[in-house]
């Protein structure tokens, strides 16, 4: 029985999509790694830049490349392919690329904790999950993501990790003592500011990706017309 294979043009499209997404994630990993290694450790300035997540502005260009690349890759598909089918790759790639840097930051944080202790990576991961759970952010990657929304700079050692909740309570109680404002108000402010920054960059990245995706679609249509015109010229 013959093996069913996708048409050649579909295979070329899928290969192009995979290559574009892999390249963009690779560059995003490189930028994130460089920021975590060289930029964010700078005293005062690095912490401020990390709190505002300024590095996210520098990768907006990547979402433009991603959108345009995925849009242009559709020239491998039949001209009558619906917009919905053409958009599937973009809908999958946008969140994948956006959250990839936070996944890497989570792994780098666990590596830092492991390097600063005599515990194994598995033991460090268990302790980190407990600390993240105490902060109400859940465990694993999502716990890291939600916790860093409220507290961008996490403990760098096991000792700091174990007293993370107490340090946060002390910090907010000191703010209350000096300002007279209830700790719950500061929690709301920190949470609102953190999520506001994250949502802003998320919206900016997704909007950039969508805009350049349609630019890529226009380029794909133009490429089809050029190919059609060349074929007509040859026949003549």
């Amino acid at each position: 029985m013959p093996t069913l294979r996708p048409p050649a043009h579909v295979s070329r499209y899928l290969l192009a999509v995979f290559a574009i997404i892999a390249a963009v994630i690779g560059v995003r990993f490189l930028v994130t790694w460089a920021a975590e290694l060289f930029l964010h450790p700078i005293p005062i300035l690095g912490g401020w830049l990390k709190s505002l997540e300024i590095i996210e502005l520098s990768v907006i260009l990547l979402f433009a490349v991603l959108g345009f690349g995925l849009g242009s890759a559709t020239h491998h598909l039949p001209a009558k392919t619906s917009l919905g089918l053409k958009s599937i790759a973009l809908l999958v790639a946008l969140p994948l690329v956006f959250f990839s840097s936070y996944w890497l930051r989570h792994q780098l944080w666990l590596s830092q904790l492991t390097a600063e202790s005599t515990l194994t990576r598995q033991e460090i991961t268990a302790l980190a999950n407990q600390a993240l759970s105490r902060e109400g952010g859940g465990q694993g990657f999502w716990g890291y993501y939600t916790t860093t929304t409220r507290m961008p700079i996490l403990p760098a050692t096991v000792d700091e990790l174990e007293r993370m909740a107490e340090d946060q309570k002390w910090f907010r109680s000191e703010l209350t003592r000096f300002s007279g404002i209830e700790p719950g108000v500061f929690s709301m402010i920190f949470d609102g500011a953190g999520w506001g920054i994250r949502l802003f960059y998320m919206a900016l990245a997704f909007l950039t990706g969508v805009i350049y995706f349609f630019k890529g679609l226009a380029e794909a249509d133009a490429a089809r017309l050029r190919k059609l015109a060349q074929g007509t010229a040859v026949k003549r």
Side-chain angles (χ1 to χ4, degrees), residues 111-120 123-124 127 156-159:
S111 296
Q112 181 184 26
L113 290 173
T114 304
E116 295 294 332
S117 75
T118 57
L119 301 176
T120 65
E123 291 171 331
I124 287 293
L127 286 175
T157 66
V158 173
D159 290 338

Side-chain angles (χ1 to χ4, degrees), residues 51-53 145-152 172 183-201:
S51 298
L52 295 178
E53 301 203 0
Y145 182 80
T146 54
T147 299
T148 53
T149 300
R150 303 188 301 273
M151 186 170 49
R172 291 173 185 176
V185 175
F186 286 112
S187 296
M188 292 176 59
I189 292 174
F190 293 150
D191 291 355
W195 279 110
I197 291 172
R198 290 272 172 94
L199 291 175
F200 169 75
Y201 287 128

Side-chain angles (χ1 to χ4, degrees), residues 3-4 24 33 46 83 95 102 115-116 122 133 144 148 158 163 170 175 179 191 201 220:
T3 303
L4 295 178
V24 171
W33 173 81
L83 179 61
Y102 295 99
E116 295 294 332
Q122 186 176 3
S133 295
Y144 173 87
T148 53
V158 173
R163 64 172 189 267
W170 175 85
L175 289 177
S179 65
D191 291 355
Y201 287 128

Side-chain angles (χ1 to χ4, degrees), residues 2-11 14:
T3 303
L4 295 178
R5 295 182 179 179
H9 56 80
V10 175
S11 298
L14 293 176

